[in-house]
Amino acid sequence: MISFLKNKLKKITYETESHYERLKVLTKLMADALNLSEKEKKELELLSEFHDIGKIGISKNILQKEGKLNREEWENIKRHSEIGYYIAKEIKNASIIDELILIHHERWGGDGYPGLYKNEEIPLVARIFALADAYDMMVNDRPFKSRMTKAAALEETREQSGRQFDPKLAEIFISLMQKEEQLA
């Protein structure tokens, strides 16, 4: 069932296996830097793999649209986290992260979706994941948006600190990415 859903998702979205693998690497870096528990590390790994599983319930026309989404299309896209929540509840391997899938687009300032949490109410794992996911999307090409340089993506992360991202975690993430860049 999991393989079927993931294969279907690959066919209708621009998400790739490499996106999921990059997320695993980014979240592991943060998890190690923060000395997270094994449980939290496993949640991050699963969230990296299943966060967008709900997109299988969104129209292919919307998911593959190359231009800017209109308001109705955007509202439709935002439903993917709720759809993913219900799917994950039914999948044995993913049920431990069902609520994390639901809230993986919450924002530190409270203007994310579905709009249940803000600031430290957002579980730590979801706050870490939000940083990694946003960064990965910024530094990789998307059909509807060209990638940013890593420096520009880190600057955007800095600018969104306290609004989109947990400011303390954003600072740690930026520092880790700068160190990684120096080692490359």
Side-chain angles (χ1 to χ4, degrees):
M1 178 66 151
I2 293 169
S3 295
F4 170 78
L5 292 174
K6 288 174 76 177
N7 285 332
K8 183 168 172 53
L9 188 61
K10 285 181 205 173
K11 291 177 184 172
I12 63 171
T13 70
Y14 294 108
E15 304 302 323
T16 63
E17 194 66 37
S18 59
H19 170 63
Y20 305 136
E21 293 304 317
R22 289 189 305 268
L23 287 175
K24 287 177 185 177
V25 169
L26 292 171
T27 58
K28 184 174 181 342
L29 281 171
M30 284 291 286
D32 290 345
L34 296 167
N35 293 317
L36 295 188
S37 69
E38 289 305 312
K39 178 184 181 282
E40 290 166 315
K41 289 177 182 181
K42 185 65 175 172
E43 288 172 345
L44 281 166
E45 182 181 326
L46 289 170
L47 193 54
S48 295
E49 199 167 327
F50 293 107
H51 67 285
D52 279 343
I53 199 76
K55 285 184 178 177
I56 66 167
I58 306 299
S59 165
K60 181 178 174 180
N61 294 335
I62 293 173
L63 293 173
Q64 293 184 355
K65 184 175 179 178
E66 292 195 17
K68 190 171 175 135
L69 298 176
N70 65 37
R71 190 170 200 269
E72 183 180 332
E73 291 166 332
W74 179 240
E75 290 302 317
N76 220 311
I77 285 284
K78 288 171 33 175
R79 291 182 46 243
H80 84 276
S81 58
E82 185 178 351
I83 295 167
Y85 166 78
Y86 289 111
I87 292 170
K89 284 185 87 58
E90 301 302 319
I91 299 173
K92 181 181 175 189
N93 292 355
S95 62
I96 65 168
I97 58 159
D98 56 4
E99 289 188 25
L100 294 170
I101 289 171
L102 177 65
I103 62 170
H104 77 274
H105 284 292
E106 294 287 14
R107 291 178 170 216
W108 182 258
D111 61 345
Y113 59 89
L116 303 173
Y117 303 112
K118 67 179 183 177
N119 301 335
E120 290 184 358
E121 295 171 345
I122 304 167
L124 177 62
V125 168
R127 287 183 273 149
I128 292 167
F129 181 80
L131 278 160
D133 192 34
Y135 179 79
D136 189 66
M137 287 194 283
M138 285 188 270
V139 299
N140 289 284
D141 283 324
R142 314 281 285 177
F144 47 86
K145 194 171 184 181
S146 296
R147 74 175 138 196
M148 295 179 168
T149 65
K150 290 179 179 179
L154 293 178
E155 184 56 36
E156 178 70 15
T157 302
R158 184 173 280 109
E159 288 174 16
Q160 291 301 316
S161 175
R163 285 180 269 199
Q164 183 173 352
F165 307 119
D166 175 326
K168 291 176 185 167
L169 292 178
E171 188 177 314
I172 293 166
F173 184 82
I174 291 166
S175 176
L176 285 171
M177 293 302 100
Q178 289 171 333
K179 285 178 188 169
E180 286 294 309
E181 193 62 24
Q182 292 170 355
L183 295 174

